[in-house]
Amino acid sequence: MDRFYSNNENEKLFYIEVNWITNEVNFQHKNNPNFKIEFMLRNALATAKRIQIIKEVITEENWSKHLIFDDFKQLRIKIIQKLIETDETFIKIKQHYL
């Protein structure tokens, strides 16, 4: 059964989930029973922008061009987790791997 939660464009009401099996990225409302405290809450616009970046990380490889890593799959997972759990910019997250 679908739940309806109130929506406000400015409040930080949304978090991002990734299905690692299907590589699907979705947003959920903070009142969703699956919400975990480590998820960063964002407003609607910030959530949409972050989802766009996560989809790029999932579907492309050129973002990793100058990064140092042993296992690309593990790097991808770590980067996406940081994008979900922090407010760090994508550029700042990648700098950890230079």
Side-chain angles (χ1 to χ4, degrees):
M1 181 176 184
D2 289 338
R3 292 183 168 94
F4 179 79
Y5 300 113
S6 63
N7 185 6
N8 177 320
E9 292 295 315
N10 299 317
E11 282 187 70
K12 293 181 178 183
L13 299 174
F14 306 102
Y15 69 95
I16 299 169
E17 286 184 329
V18 175
N19 181 322
W20 297 105
I21 296 168
T22 63
N23 286 333
E24 291 179 0
V25 183
N26 293 300
F27 69 93
Q28 300 292 338
H29 193 277
K30 70 177 185 176
N31 291 337
N32 183 309
N34 295 330
F35 175 73
K36 295 178 183 161
I37 195 71
E38 64 265 16
F39 294 146
M40 174 69 66
L41 292 174
R42 297 178 174 84
N43 66 28
L45 181 61
T47 301
K49 287 180 180 179
R50 204 64 156 196
I51 286 173
Q52 185 177 6
I53 295 167
I54 292 170
K55 286 182 177 181
E56 176 187 337
V57 173
I58 288 173
T59 60
E60 301 187 22
E61 295 181 9
N62 60 339
W63 56 266
S64 66
K65 191 174 184 178
H66 301 288
L67 304 182
I68 299 168
F69 57 90
D70 293 323
D71 183 333
F72 180 72
K73 186 177 178 181
Q74 284 302 309
L75 174 69
R76 180 178 270 157
I77 289 169
K78 287 178 183 178
I79 298 264
I80 291 171
Q81 286 174 329
K82 285 278 191 192
L83 288 166
I84 291 171
E85 296 172 2
T86 72
D87 233 359
E88 278 190 89
T89 65
F90 186 35
I91 292 169
K92 194 79 165 164
I93 292 168
K94 291 192 301 182
Q95 286 175 346
H96 295 288
Y97 298 94
L98 293 176

